Amino acid sequence: EKNVKKGETIIKQGDGGDNFYVIDNGIYEIYVSKQEDFRDPIKVGEYNQTGSFGELALMYNQPRSATIISSTDGILWVMGRQTFRKLVLKHAFRKRQMYENFLREVDILQSLTDYERSNVADALIPVEYDEKEIIIRQGDEGDRMFFIEDGECDIEMNGIFHKRLHKGHYFGELALLNHEPRSATVIAASTKVKLASLEVESFERLLGPCMDLMYRNTSKYLKK
């Protein structure tokens, strides 16, 4: 257990990775610099009372990719490098290998490097829906996007069927791109639908190289 104070730097971009952190409470801001000497960092997101961070440097033996600063007092739970690698890494590698192969078949992610694709794979969360279950509802706030691993989903706009999506398709990115409410309802159309979800914080942090292509595909996506 680690008590942190407002303004405290938890990890610093470019440093070696020593710990993995799980948030008990508090708000933690994420800063990334594109300069070689890590000057002029820009805030790219925040963790608000929940989440975890610090795993990428431990998993890939890379320097810290971001700086995390506490903007409030808070409490973190800290796991050391050796414990993390022993307990977490084996499961994470199995999950990553499973998703990496799937993500290679997703058109929108072709511009990612293998390393970037691995990071996306690590951030994906598996979810399942039964037939006729509503996955996202038109007008709701968007907090994640989805990739279809198995099964089919129907898109409805204003209660009218628009199109059917299949394995390898994705949805839910429009609300995240445009910071607007969901533009359609998506319903599970097969007995068991397996999805991989990507939360908005990971979407913005990991899919930067794909954003332009996603914007270009927006109008085409809606017309199909």
Side-chain angles (χ1 to χ4, degrees):
E1 183 179 6
K2 174 181 174 65
N3 291 286
V4 300
K5 298 296 185 182
K6 179 179 179 180
E8 184 175 342
T9 298
I10 313 302
I11 62 176
K12 187 175 181 181
Q13 186 175 357
D15 286 356
D18 52 355
N19 293 316
F20 169 62
Y21 299 89
V22 178
I23 296 168
D24 190 320
N25 60 64
I27 300 174
Y28 303 84
E29 297 180 332
I30 309 165
Y31 292 89
V32 174
S33 170
K34 295 184 179 180
Q35 308 293 331
E36 288 188 8
D37 57 1
F38 309 120
R39 288 181 297 109
D40 304 321
I42 298 171
K43 182 180 175 180
V44 298
E46 68 178 28
Y47 299 98
N48 192 336
Q49 307 297 336
T50 185
S52 60
F53 56 86
E55 74 281 4
L56 294 181
L58 303 185
M59 291 179 68
Y60 299 109
N61 199 27
Q62 298 281 344
R64 295 296 194 190
S65 59
T67 295
I68 307 289
I69 300 175
S70 177
S71 61
T72 65
D73 291 348
I75 297 174
L76 296 169
W77 292 93
V78 185
M79 182 183 292
R81 173 196 287 270
Q82 295 304 319
T83 305
F84 175 85
R85 294 184 70 86
K86 182 178 179 181
L87 299 180
V88 179
L89 208 52
K90 186 182 294 185
H91 170 75
F93 272 127
R94 285 199 301 266
K95 174 175 174 279
R96 170 157 44 104
Q97 287 177 336
M98 178 181 72
Y99 278 133
E100 275 183 337
N101 293 329
F102 167 71
L103 293 174
R104 285 192 182 94
E105 305 301 317
V106 178
D107 290 342
I108 200 72
L109 302 182
Q110 296 305 307
S111 61
L112 295 181
T113 65
D114 287 343
Y115 175 70
E116 289 168 336
R117 194 176 293 111
S118 294
N119 288 349
V120 175
D122 292 333
L124 291 175
I125 301 170
V127 289
E128 292 188 358
Y129 290 87
D130 294 321
E131 189 173 8
K132 297 185 179 179
E133 270 196 275
I134 294 176
I135 302 166
I136 62 176
R137 190 185 302 273
Q138 187 172 353
D140 284 356
E141 182 181 353
D143 61 353
R144 66 194 64 212
M145 72 172 294
F146 298 88
F147 299 92
I148 302 177
E149 286 187 71
D150 194 30
E152 298 177 326
C153 298
D154 286 342
I155 296 179
E156 293 184 356
M157 292 181 173
N158 301 317
I160 300 172
F161 174 79
H162 180 62
K163 63 181 293 189
R164 176 161 288 188
L165 301 178
H166 307 275
K167 180 179 178 179
H169 288 156
Y170 60 93
F171 60 89
E173 82 287 0
L174 297 181
L176 307 188
L177 283 170
N178 300 322
H179 302 286
E180 295 176 347
R182 297 293 195 190
S183 59
T185 295
V186 180
I187 302 170
S190 51
T191 303
K192 183 69 70 176
V193 176
K194 293 178 64 178
L195 304 173
S197 71
L198 188 67
E199 294 183 338
V200 61
E201 293 86 357
S202 300
F203 173 85
E204 293 173 347
R205 178 166 53 94
L206 299 174
L207 293 190
C210 305
M211 291 298 185
D212 287 344
L213 183 57
M214 284 187 173
Y215 277 117
R216 289 199 299 271
N217 281 357
T218 298
S219 59
K220 182 170 65 176
Y221 174 82
L222 288 172
K223 290 175 183 175
K224 284 183 179 179

